Amino acid sequence: MSTENEGNAVPPAPSAPPVPVASPAPPQGDAGATAQLPPVPPGPPEQHPYGPGPTQSYGAPEGSWPPPPPPGTPGYGEAGAGGWGSSYQQPAPKPAGGGRGGLIAAVLVAALVAGGLGGGLGYTLAKDNDGQGSTTVSAADNGASQVKRAPGTIAGVASKSLPSTVTIEAESNSGEGGTGTGFVFDTQGHIVTNNHVVAEAVDGGKLSATFPDGRKYAAEVVGHAQGYDVAVIKLKNAPSDLKPLSLGNSDQVAVGDETIAIGAPFGLSNTVTTGIISAKNRPVASSDGSSSSKASYMSALQTDASINPGNSGGPLLNASGAVIGINSAIQSTSGGSFGSGQSGSIGLGFAIPINQAKYVAQQLIKNGKPVYAKIGASVSLEESTDGAKITDQGTGGADAVESGGPAAKAGLKPGDVIIKLDDSVIDSGPTLIGEIWTHKPGDKVKVTYTRGGDQHTVDLTLGSRVGDS
Protein backbone atom coordinates (compact mmCIF):
# COMPACT_ATOMS: atom_id res chain seq x y z
CA MET A 1 0.00 0.00 0.00
CA SER A 2 1.18 3.48 -0.68
CA THR A 3 0.28 6.92 0.57
CA GLU A 4 0.58 10.35 -0.96
CA ASN A 5 0.03 14.11 -0.71
CA GLU A 6 -3.25 15.88 -0.48
CA GLY A 7 -4.81 16.52 -3.83
CA ASN A 8 -3.02 13.71 -5.63
CA ALA A 9 -4.93 10.97 -7.32
CA VAL A 10 -5.02 7.78 -5.33
CA PRO A 11 -3.22 4.92 -7.10
CA PRO A 12 -4.77 1.45 -7.37
CA ALA A 13 -4.29 -0.70 -4.31
CA PRO A 14 -1.93 -3.68 -4.35
CA SER A 15 -3.27 -7.20 -4.08
CA ALA A 16 -2.87 -7.05 -0.34
CA PRO A 17 -4.83 -4.03 0.93
CA PRO A 18 -2.25 -1.25 1.44
CA VAL A 19 -2.22 0.88 4.50
CA PRO A 20 -1.49 4.59 4.54
CA VAL A 21 0.04 6.98 6.96
CA ALA A 22 -0.84 10.62 7.01
CA SER A 23 0.15 13.89 8.59
CA PRO A 24 -0.64 17.56 8.74
CA ALA A 25 -2.58 19.62 6.25
CA PRO A 26 -2.24 23.41 6.10
CA PRO A 27 -4.98 25.46 7.79
CA GLN A 28 -6.98 28.31 6.33
CA GLY A 29 -9.41 30.83 7.64
CA ASP A 30 -10.27 31.09 11.30
CA ALA A 31 -7.97 29.60 13.88
CA GLY A 32 -8.71 25.94 14.32
CA ALA A 33 -10.27 25.45 10.90
CA THR A 34 -8.03 23.33 8.74
CA ALA A 35 -8.01 23.35 4.96
CA GLN A 36 -6.54 20.74 2.68
CA LEU A 37 -3.37 21.22 0.74
CA PRO A 38 -3.82 22.25 -2.89
CA PRO A 39 -3.83 19.37 -5.38
CA VAL A 40 -0.42 18.24 -6.48
CA PRO A 41 -0.14 17.78 -10.24
CA PRO A 42 0.89 14.26 -11.18
CA GLY A 43 4.40 13.87 -12.44
CA PRO A 44 6.55 11.12 -13.88
CA PRO A 45 7.56 8.62 -11.23
CA GLU A 46 11.08 8.79 -9.92
CA GLN A 47 13.26 5.78 -9.51
CA HIS A 48 13.13 4.35 -6.05
CA PRO A 49 15.39 1.72 -4.64
CA TYR A 50 12.40 -0.10 -3.26
CA GLY A 51 9.42 -0.09 -5.47
CA PRO A 52 7.15 0.55 -8.38
CA GLY A 53 8.02 2.80 -11.23
CA PRO A 54 10.51 4.65 -9.24
CA THR A 55 13.12 2.47 -7.77
CA GLN A 56 15.18 2.97 -4.69
CA SER A 57 17.83 0.71 -3.35
CA TYR A 58 16.63 -1.21 -0.42
CA GLY A 59 19.58 -1.17 1.82
CA ALA A 60 21.71 -0.15 -1.15
CA PRO A 61 24.88 1.91 -0.78
CA GLU A 62 24.95 4.96 1.46
CA GLY A 63 22.90 7.88 0.24
CA SER A 64 20.15 5.76 -1.25
CA TRP A 65 18.01 5.55 1.90
CA PRO A 66 15.26 6.08 2.68
CA PRO A 67 13.53 5.41 -0.61
CA PRO A 68 11.37 8.08 -2.13
CA PRO A 69 7.66 7.29 -2.00
CA PRO A 70 6.33 4.82 -4.57
CA PRO A 71 4.84 6.34 -7.70
CA GLY A 72 1.50 7.90 -7.04
CA THR A 73 2.15 7.57 -3.34
CA PRO A 74 -0.10 9.81 -1.27
CA GLY A 75 1.37 11.84 1.56
CA TYR A 76 0.32 13.26 4.91
CA GLY A 77 -2.92 15.10 4.34
CA GLU A 78 -4.12 13.54 1.08
CA ALA A 79 -7.19 14.67 -0.72
CA GLY A 80 -10.28 13.63 1.15
CA ALA A 81 -8.30 12.93 4.24
CA GLY A 82 -6.70 14.97 6.95
CA GLY A 83 -3.14 14.31 7.96
CA TRP A 84 -2.40 13.31 11.49
CA GLY A 85 0.07 15.74 12.89
CA SER A 86 -1.27 18.21 10.44
CA SER A 87 -0.94 21.93 10.62
CA TYR A 88 -2.78 24.38 12.79
CA GLN A 89 -3.04 28.16 12.77
CA GLN A 90 -1.28 30.12 15.47
CA PRO A 91 -3.26 32.78 17.35
CA ALA A 92 -2.45 36.41 16.56
CA PRO A 93 0.03 37.89 16.20
CA LYS A 94 1.69 34.70 14.97
CA PRO A 95 1.12 33.83 11.31
CA ALA A 96 -1.06 30.89 10.40
CA GLY A 97 1.00 27.79 9.87
CA GLY A 98 0.66 25.28 7.09
CA GLY A 99 1.88 21.99 8.46
CA ARG A 100 3.31 19.02 6.67
CA GLY A 101 0.83 17.03 4.65
CA GLY A 102 -0.51 13.89 6.28
CA LEU A 103 0.45 10.42 5.15
CA ILE A 104 -2.36 8.93 3.17
CA ALA A 105 -2.29 5.46 1.75
CA ALA A 106 -4.12 4.36 -1.33
CA VAL A 107 -6.18 1.49 -0.06
CA LEU A 108 -9.23 0.20 -1.92
CA VAL A 109 -9.12 3.43 -3.91
CA ALA A 110 -9.73 5.46 -0.74
CA ALA A 111 -7.49 8.18 0.69
CA LEU A 112 -5.61 7.35 3.87
CA VAL A 113 -5.05 9.94 6.54
CA ALA A 114 -2.33 10.03 9.18
CA GLY A 115 -3.41 11.47 12.52
CA GLY A 116 -2.23 14.71 13.97
CA LEU A 117 -4.09 17.57 12.29
CA GLY A 118 -6.59 19.93 13.67
CA GLY A 119 -4.96 20.83 16.95
CA GLY A 120 -7.11 23.90 17.38
CA LEU A 121 -10.23 22.69 15.59
CA GLY A 122 -11.92 21.05 18.57
CA TYR A 123 -11.23 24.12 20.72
CA THR A 124 -12.64 26.46 18.10
CA LEU A 125 -15.84 24.44 17.78
CA ALA A 126 -16.35 24.37 21.53
CA LYS A 127 -15.58 28.06 21.86
CA ASP A 128 -18.02 29.01 19.11
CA ASN A 129 -20.77 26.95 20.70
CA ASP A 130 -20.24 28.61 24.07
CA GLY A 131 -20.86 32.01 22.54
CA GLN A 132 -24.16 31.07 20.92
CA GLY A 133 -26.37 31.09 23.99
CA SER A 134 -26.72 27.36 24.41
CA THR A 135 -29.67 26.31 26.56
CA THR A 136 -28.29 22.85 27.28
CA VAL A 137 -28.63 21.87 30.95
CA SER A 138 -26.03 19.58 32.53
CA ALA A 139 -27.17 17.04 35.11
CA ALA A 140 -25.29 16.86 38.40
CA ASP A 141 -22.90 13.93 38.53
CA ASN A 142 -23.96 13.09 42.10
CA GLY A 143 -20.44 12.00 42.89
CA ALA A 144 -20.19 9.73 39.85
CA SER A 145 -16.72 11.07 39.14
CA GLN A 146 -15.60 9.59 42.43
CA VAL A 147 -16.71 6.08 41.53
CA LYS A 148 -13.81 3.76 40.79
CA ARG A 149 -14.06 1.37 37.87
CA ALA A 150 -12.71 -2.17 37.92
CA PRO A 151 -9.23 -2.58 36.36
CA GLY A 152 -10.51 -4.96 33.67
CA THR A 153 -13.09 -2.53 32.29
CA ILE A 154 -12.53 0.00 29.52
CA ALA A 155 -13.12 2.79 32.03
CA GLY A 156 -10.54 1.22 34.33
CA VAL A 157 -7.94 0.96 31.55
CA ALA A 158 -8.62 4.54 30.46
CA SER A 159 -8.34 5.86 34.00
CA LYS A 160 -4.96 4.19 34.43
CA SER A 161 -3.56 5.01 30.97
CA LEU A 162 -4.68 8.60 30.33
CA PRO A 163 -2.27 10.17 32.87
CA SER A 164 0.61 8.70 30.83
CA THR A 165 -0.42 10.21 27.48
CA VAL A 166 0.30 13.71 26.18
CA THR A 167 -0.93 16.06 23.48
CA ILE A 168 2.05 17.26 21.44
CA GLU A 169 2.32 20.63 19.71
CA ALA A 170 5.15 21.15 17.22
CA GLU A 171 6.01 24.45 15.56
CA SER A 172 8.73 25.29 13.05
CA ASN A 173 10.77 28.48 13.02
CA SER A 174 8.48 29.82 10.29
CA GLY A 175 5.35 29.34 12.41
CA GLU A 176 4.11 26.17 10.75
CA GLY A 177 2.99 23.51 13.17
CA GLY A 178 0.89 20.52 14.01
CA THR A 179 -0.72 18.62 16.83
CA GLY A 180 -0.51 14.94 17.69
CA THR A 181 -0.29 12.52 20.57
CA GLY A 182 2.43 10.63 22.44
CA PHE A 183 2.88 8.43 25.49
CA VAL A 184 5.37 8.12 28.35
CA PHE A 185 8.09 5.59 27.49
CA ASP A 186 10.25 5.75 30.63
CA THR A 187 10.74 7.64 33.90
CA GLN A 188 13.50 9.80 32.39
CA GLY A 189 10.93 11.82 30.43
CA HIS A 190 11.11 10.15 27.01
CA ILE A 191 7.88 10.29 25.00
CA VAL A 192 7.23 8.10 21.95
CA THR A 193 5.20 9.45 19.01
CA ASN A 194 5.18 9.55 15.18
CA ASN A 195 7.95 11.21 13.20
CA HIS A 196 5.44 13.24 11.19
CA VAL A 197 3.95 14.68 14.40
CA VAL A 198 7.22 16.37 15.42
CA ALA A 199 8.78 16.90 11.98
CA GLU A 200 8.17 20.65 12.05
CA ALA A 201 10.21 21.06 15.23
CA VAL A 202 13.20 18.92 14.23
CA ASP A 203 15.36 21.82 13.02
CA GLY A 204 15.18 24.20 15.96
CA GLY A 205 11.42 24.63 16.21
CA LYS A 206 9.26 24.67 19.33
CA LEU A 207 7.90 21.52 20.91
CA SER A 208 5.63 21.01 23.93
CA ALA A 209 3.72 18.19 25.59
CA THR A 210 0.60 18.64 27.70
CA PHE A 211 -0.73 16.04 30.15
CA PRO A 212 -4.45 15.49 30.81
CA ASP A 213 -4.16 17.29 34.16
CA GLY A 214 -3.02 20.44 32.36
CA ARG A 215 0.70 20.28 33.12
CA LYS A 216 2.64 21.47 30.07
CA TYR A 217 6.34 20.92 29.41
CA ALA A 218 8.75 22.14 26.76
CA ALA A 219 10.41 19.25 24.96
CA GLU A 220 13.15 18.46 22.47
CA VAL A 221 13.53 15.85 19.75
CA VAL A 222 15.93 13.10 20.84
CA GLY A 223 15.77 11.22 17.55
CA HIS A 224 13.43 10.56 14.66
CA ALA A 225 13.11 7.82 12.04
CA GLN A 226 11.33 8.89 8.90
CA GLY A 227 11.41 5.41 7.41
CA TYR A 228 9.67 3.89 10.42
CA ASP A 229 7.61 7.06 11.16
CA VAL A 230 8.66 6.86 14.81
CA ALA A 231 10.17 9.63 16.95
CA VAL A 232 11.25 10.11 20.55
CA ILE A 233 11.09 13.45 22.34
CA LYS A 234 12.20 14.28 25.89
CA LEU A 235 10.50 16.57 28.37
CA LYS A 236 12.60 19.40 29.76
CA ASN A 237 12.49 19.48 33.56
CA ALA A 238 10.49 16.25 33.52
CA PRO A 239 8.42 15.57 36.66
CA SER A 240 9.46 12.78 39.01
CA ASP A 241 6.07 11.07 39.00
CA LEU A 242 6.04 9.85 35.40
CA LYS A 243 4.44 6.43 34.92
CA PRO A 244 5.44 4.72 31.65
CA LEU A 245 2.74 2.72 29.90
CA SER A 246 3.40 -1.01 29.94
CA LEU A 247 4.31 -2.45 26.54
CA GLY A 248 2.61 -5.55 25.21
CA ASN A 249 3.76 -8.08 22.60
CA SER A 250 2.38 -7.20 19.18
CA ASP A 251 3.50 -10.57 17.79
CA GLN A 252 0.93 -12.24 20.03
CA VAL A 253 -1.97 -10.03 18.95
CA ALA A 254 -4.85 -11.93 17.34
CA VAL A 255 -7.58 -10.75 15.01
CA GLY A 256 -10.62 -10.01 17.15
CA ASP A 257 -8.68 -8.83 20.22
CA GLU A 258 -10.16 -5.74 21.86
CA THR A 259 -8.37 -2.42 21.33
CA ILE A 260 -8.46 0.97 23.04
CA ALA A 261 -7.08 4.09 21.31
CA ILE A 262 -6.13 7.33 23.05
CA GLY A 263 -5.47 10.60 21.25
CA ALA A 264 -6.57 14.12 20.34
CA PRO A 265 -8.88 13.72 17.30
CA PHE A 266 -9.44 17.11 15.68
CA GLY A 267 -7.80 18.70 18.70
CA LEU A 268 -10.08 17.04 21.26
CA SER A 269 -7.38 15.91 23.67
CA ASN A 270 -7.65 12.85 25.92
CA THR A 271 -10.23 11.10 23.77
CA VAL A 272 -10.70 7.35 24.27
CA THR A 273 -12.23 5.05 21.64
CA THR A 274 -12.56 1.27 21.40
CA GLY A 275 -12.65 -1.47 18.79
CA ILE A 276 -10.91 -4.70 17.83
CA ILE A 277 -7.91 -5.85 15.83
CA SER A 278 -9.42 -6.20 12.35
CA ALA A 279 -6.33 -7.56 10.59
CA LYS A 280 -2.56 -7.87 10.89
CA ASN A 281 0.41 -7.24 8.61
CA ARG A 282 -1.20 -4.61 6.41
CA PRO A 283 1.50 -3.12 4.11
CA VAL A 284 1.84 0.67 4.38
CA ALA A 285 3.90 3.10 2.31
CA SER A 286 3.63 6.86 2.85
CA SER A 287 5.41 10.17 2.38
CA ASP A 288 5.10 13.68 3.82
CA GLY A 289 4.21 15.15 0.45
CA SER A 290 7.21 17.42 0.03
CA SER A 291 9.26 17.44 -3.18
CA SER A 292 12.14 15.78 -1.36
CA SER A 293 10.01 13.40 0.66
CA LYS A 294 11.27 9.98 1.60
CA ALA A 295 9.00 7.03 2.15
CA SER A 296 7.85 5.42 5.37
CA TYR A 297 6.95 1.73 5.45
CA MET A 298 5.31 -0.56 7.97
CA SER A 299 3.48 -3.86 8.31
CA ALA A 300 0.58 -2.48 10.33
CA LEU A 301 -2.04 -3.62 12.80
CA GLN A 302 -5.49 -2.72 11.50
CA THR A 303 -8.19 -1.67 13.96
CA ASP A 304 -11.76 -0.39 13.74
CA ALA A 305 -11.35 1.77 16.85
CA SER A 306 -12.34 5.32 15.88
CA ILE A 307 -9.12 7.15 14.94
CA ASN A 308 -9.06 10.62 13.37
CA PRO A 309 -6.61 13.40 12.53
CA GLY A 310 -4.96 14.22 15.88
CA ASN A 311 -4.68 10.60 17.07
CA SER A 312 -1.31 10.21 15.37
CA GLY A 313 1.42 9.00 17.72
CA GLY A 314 -1.03 7.91 20.39
CA PRO A 315 -1.09 4.43 21.96
CA LEU A 316 -3.23 1.55 20.77
CA LEU A 317 -3.86 -0.54 23.88
CA ASN A 318 -5.09 -4.08 24.44
CA ALA A 319 -7.84 -4.98 26.90
CA SER A 320 -5.40 -5.04 29.82
CA GLY A 321 -3.99 -1.59 29.04
CA ALA A 322 -0.66 -2.63 27.49
CA VAL A 323 0.52 -0.76 24.38
CA ILE A 324 0.40 -2.95 21.26
CA GLY A 325 0.84 -0.24 18.63
CA ILE A 326 1.26 3.44 17.74
CA ASN A 327 -1.74 4.88 15.87
CA SER A 328 -0.40 6.27 12.61
CA ALA A 329 -2.95 6.30 9.78
CA ILE A 330 -6.54 5.85 8.74
CA GLN A 331 -8.31 5.15 5.51
CA SER A 332 -11.08 7.59 4.84
CA THR A 333 -13.71 8.52 2.30
CA SER A 334 -13.20 11.67 0.23
CA GLY A 335 -15.93 13.68 1.94
CA GLY A 336 -14.91 16.40 4.38
CA SER A 337 -16.28 17.11 7.84
CA PHE A 338 -16.47 19.89 10.43
CA GLY A 339 -16.36 22.38 7.57
CA SER A 340 -12.66 21.74 7.13
CA GLY A 341 -12.66 19.51 4.08
CA GLN A 342 -11.14 16.74 6.22
CA SER A 343 -12.59 13.29 6.47
CA GLY A 344 -13.01 11.25 9.60
CA SER A 345 -12.88 7.64 10.67
CA ILE A 346 -14.75 4.96 8.78
CA GLY A 347 -13.40 2.20 10.98
CA LEU A 348 -10.13 1.55 9.16
CA GLY A 349 -7.20 2.58 11.31
CA PHE A 350 -3.59 1.41 11.23
CA ALA A 351 -0.91 1.25 13.90
CA ILE A 352 2.83 0.53 13.96
CA PRO A 353 3.33 -2.73 15.93
CA ILE A 354 4.86 -1.92 19.32
CA ASN A 355 7.59 -4.58 19.04
CA GLN A 356 9.01 -2.68 16.08
CA ALA A 357 8.39 0.75 17.61
CA LYS A 358 10.08 -0.28 20.88
CA TYR A 359 13.25 -1.35 19.06
CA VAL A 360 13.30 1.89 17.06
CA ALA A 361 12.72 4.03 20.16
CA GLN A 362 15.54 2.32 22.04
CA GLN A 363 17.93 2.93 19.14
CA LEU A 364 16.90 6.59 18.95
CA ILE A 365 17.47 7.09 22.67
CA LYS A 366 20.81 5.31 22.53
CA ASN A 367 22.24 6.66 19.26
CA GLY A 368 19.97 9.51 18.19
CA LYS A 369 19.58 7.76 14.83
CA PRO A 370 17.49 4.86 13.54
CA VAL A 371 18.98 1.54 12.51
CA TYR A 372 17.36 -0.31 9.61
CA ALA A 373 17.61 -3.93 8.55
CA LYS A 374 18.47 -4.37 4.85
CA ILE A 375 19.00 -7.02 2.18
CA GLY A 376 21.31 -4.86 0.07
CA ALA A 377 19.29 -4.86 -3.15
CA SER A 378 17.24 -2.29 -5.05
CA VAL A 379 13.66 -3.37 -5.77
CA SER A 380 10.95 -1.86 -7.93
CA LEU A 381 8.24 0.20 -6.23
CA GLU A 382 5.77 -0.14 -9.08
CA GLU A 383 2.28 -1.38 -8.27
CA SER A 384 2.40 -5.13 -8.67
CA THR A 385 0.92 -8.34 -7.38
CA ASP A 386 3.70 -10.56 -8.67
CA GLY A 387 6.36 -9.81 -6.08
CA ALA A 388 9.31 -7.46 -5.49
CA LYS A 389 11.53 -7.37 -8.55
CA ILE A 390 15.20 -6.55 -8.13
CA THR A 391 15.92 -3.72 -10.56
CA ASP A 392 18.61 -3.66 -13.21
CA GLN A 393 20.23 -0.60 -11.67
CA GLY A 394 20.20 1.04 -8.26
CA THR A 395 19.74 4.66 -7.27
CA GLY A 396 22.17 7.16 -8.76
CA GLY A 397 23.68 4.55 -11.05
CA ALA A 398 24.74 2.28 -8.19
CA ASP A 399 24.63 -1.50 -8.53
CA ALA A 400 21.16 -2.96 -7.97
CA VAL A 401 22.70 -5.67 -5.80
CA GLU A 402 25.19 -4.26 -3.31
CA SER A 403 28.60 -5.89 -3.69
CA GLY A 404 29.33 -8.07 -0.68
CA GLY A 405 25.90 -7.35 0.78
CA PRO A 406 23.36 -9.86 2.13
CA ALA A 407 21.54 -10.31 -1.21
CA ALA A 408 24.81 -10.79 -3.12
CA LYS A 409 26.03 -13.38 -0.62
CA ALA A 410 22.72 -15.24 -1.00
CA GLY A 411 23.15 -15.33 -4.78
CA LEU A 412 20.36 -12.90 -5.71
CA LYS A 413 20.68 -11.05 -9.03
CA PRO A 414 18.97 -8.21 -10.94
CA GLY A 415 15.72 -9.48 -12.46
CA ASP A 416 14.98 -11.92 -9.62
CA VAL A 417 11.48 -11.52 -8.20
CA ILE A 418 11.13 -12.03 -4.42
CA ILE A 419 7.77 -13.60 -3.63
CA LYS A 420 8.14 -14.61 0.03
CA LEU A 421 10.10 -13.55 3.11
CA ASP A 422 9.91 -16.43 5.56
CA ASP A 423 6.16 -17.26 5.53
CA SER A 424 4.98 -13.78 4.46
CA VAL A 425 3.80 -13.44 0.87
CA ILE A 426 5.45 -10.51 -0.93
CA ASP A 427 3.34 -8.85 -3.62
CA SER A 428 5.37 -5.67 -4.21
CA GLY A 429 8.52 -3.73 -3.30
CA PRO A 430 6.85 -1.68 -0.54
CA THR A 431 5.47 -4.85 1.05
CA LEU A 432 8.96 -6.38 1.07
CA ILE A 433 10.44 -3.30 2.72
CA GLY A 434 7.76 -3.23 5.40
CA GLU A 435 8.32 -6.91 6.17
CA ILE A 436 12.13 -6.55 6.32
CA TRP A 437 11.77 -3.65 8.76
CA THR A 438 9.84 -5.84 11.17
CA HIS A 439 13.19 -7.60 11.67
CA LYS A 440 16.48 -6.47 13.19
CA PRO A 441 19.93 -6.42 11.59
CA GLY A 442 21.53 -9.83 11.99
CA ASP A 443 18.24 -11.74 11.80
CA LYS A 444 18.27 -14.76 9.50
CA VAL A 445 15.39 -15.03 7.03
CA LYS A 446 14.37 -17.30 4.16
CA VAL A 447 13.91 -15.56 0.83
CA THR A 448 11.86 -17.25 -1.88
CA TYR A 449 12.28 -15.85 -5.39
CA THR A 450 11.69 -16.71 -9.04
CA ARG A 451 14.27 -16.60 -11.83
CA GLY A 452 13.51 -17.62 -15.41
CA GLY A 453 10.29 -19.30 -14.36
CA ASP A 454 11.95 -21.41 -11.64
CA GLN A 455 11.43 -20.93 -7.91
CA HIS A 456 14.31 -20.90 -5.42
CA THR A 457 14.66 -20.44 -1.64
CA VAL A 458 17.81 -19.19 0.07
CA ASP A 459 18.84 -18.23 3.60
CA LEU A 460 19.89 -14.63 4.09
CA THR A 461 21.30 -12.71 7.07
CA LEU A 462 20.01 -9.14 7.17
CA GLY A 463 22.52 -6.31 7.15
CA SER A 464 22.13 -2.86 8.74
CA ARG A 465 22.00 0.77 7.78
CA VAL A 466 22.21 3.70 10.22
CA GLY A 467 20.27 6.90 9.66
CA ASP A 468 17.63 8.13 7.25
CA SER A 469 20.08 9.35 4.62
Side-chain angles (χ1 to χ4, degrees):
M1 158 182 292
S2 62
T3 65
E4 195 166 38
N5 286 341
E6 184 173 73
N8 290 350
V10 176
S15 62
V19 179
V21 176
S23 165
Q28 280 186 338
D30 298 336
T34 307
Q36 293 183 319
L37 293 173
V40 178
E46 303 177 6
Q47 271 206 340
H48 298 281
Y50 300 75
T55 60
Q56 180 170 15
S57 65
Y58 182 76
E62 292 297 319
S64 63
W65 168 198
T73 294
Y76 301 125
E78 177 103 4
W84 300 349
S86 58
S87 62
Y88 63 91
Q89 189 171 28
Q90 297 292 327
K94 294 183 179 180
R100 291 173 177 269
L103 296 181
I104 301 174
V107 179
L108 307 178
V109 194
L112 290 175
V113 182
L117 268 193
L121 181 56
Y123 171 77
T124 299
L125 293 174
K127 178 180 179 181
D128 290 345
N129 288 337
D130 289 344
Q132 294 175 357
S134 171
T135 58
T136 301
V137 177
S138 298
D141 66 6
N142 295 319
S145 60
Q146 303 302 316
V147 178
K148 293 184 178 181
R149 268 63 180 181
T153 63
I154 293 173
V157 170
S159 176
K160 181 179 179 181
S161 304
L162 275 168
S164 297
T165 63
V166 297
T167 297
I168 298 172
E169 293 183 7
E171 181 183 345
S172 68
N173 292 323
S174 62
E176 296 181 340
T179 302
T181 307
F183 61 91
V184 177
F185 187 68
D186 59 28
T187 57
Q188 285 69 53
H190 290 110
I191 305 292
V192 172
T193 184
N194 281 141
N195 172 71
H196 69 262
V197 169
V198 302
E200 295 290 358
V202 168
D203 297 320
K206 296 179 180 179
L207 194 63
S208 67
T210 304
F211 285 87
D213 62 7
R215 290 182 298 170
K216 186 173 184 178
Y217 297 87
E220 59 185 355
V221 178
V222 171
H224 61 106
Q226 186 173 42
Y228 291 119
D229 196 23
V230 173
V232 174
I233 65 175
K234 187 173 184 180
L235 305 179
K236 296 180 179 179
N237 300 314
S240 59
D241 61 348
L242 290 176
K243 295 182 179 180
L245 288 180
S246 60
L247 305 183
N249 186 342
S250 52
D251 289 341
Q252 295 179 354
V253 169
V255 173
D257 282 351
E258 291 181 304
T259 58
I260 301 171
I262 297 179
F266 294 100
L268 300 174
S269 300
N270 316 317
T271 294
V272 177
T273 56
T274 64
I276 63 170
I277 290 293
S278 305
K280 299 174 62 176
N281 305 317
R282 291 297 195 197
V284 179
S286 57
S287 71
D288 65 8
S290 65
S291 59
S292 60
S293 64
K294 304 297 183 181
S296 298
Y297 299 92
M298 67 176 166
S299 182
L301 296 177
Q302 180 181 325
T303 180
D304 67 349
S306 183
I307 298 174
N308 288 284
N311 278 99
S312 209
L316 182 68
L317 311 171
N318 61 19
S320 64
V323 182
I324 54 175
I326 299 178
N327 299 317
S328 300
I330 62 171
Q331 178 174 322
S332 178
T333 57
S334 59
S337 60
F338 297 109
S340 66
Q342 266 190 358
S343 299
S345 172
I346 58 172
L348 293 173
F350 306 95
I352 302 169
I354 194 59
N355 288 10
Q356 178 181 12
K358 176 183 177 182
Y359 165 74
V360 177
Q362 291 173 333
Q363 292 298 316
L364 293 176
I365 293 172
K366 180 180 179 180
N367 306 312
K369 294 182 179 180
V371 179
Y372 297 89
K374 70 173 185 177
I375 63 171
S378 175
V379 297
S380 172
L381 295 178
E382 293 177 349
E383 294 294 344
S384 167
T385 58
D386 300 327
K389 182 179 180 180
I390 298 179
T391 57
D392 294 327
Q393 190 175 61
T395 302
D399 292 335
V401 178
E402 179 184 342
S403 177
K409 291 179 179 179
L412 295 174
K413 300 178 180 179
D416 289 346
V417 179
I418 298 174
I419 58 175
K420 288 184 70 176
L421 185 73
D422 288 333
D423 295 326
S424 299
V425 175
I426 303 301
D427 62 359
S428 65
T431 300
L432 173 63
I433 298 170
E435 284 298 326
I436 289 176
W437 286 353
T438 63
H439 294 274
K440 300 175 183 178
D443 284 354
K444 293 182 178 181
V445 297
K446 287 187 179 296
V447 175
T448 302
Y449 65 96
T450 59
R451 178 188 296 171
D454 296 325
Q455 184 171 304
H456 309 272
T457 298
V458 295
D459 292 325
L460 181 151
T461 300
L462 297 173
S464 66
R465 181 184 184 85
V466 178
D468 277 323
S469 60

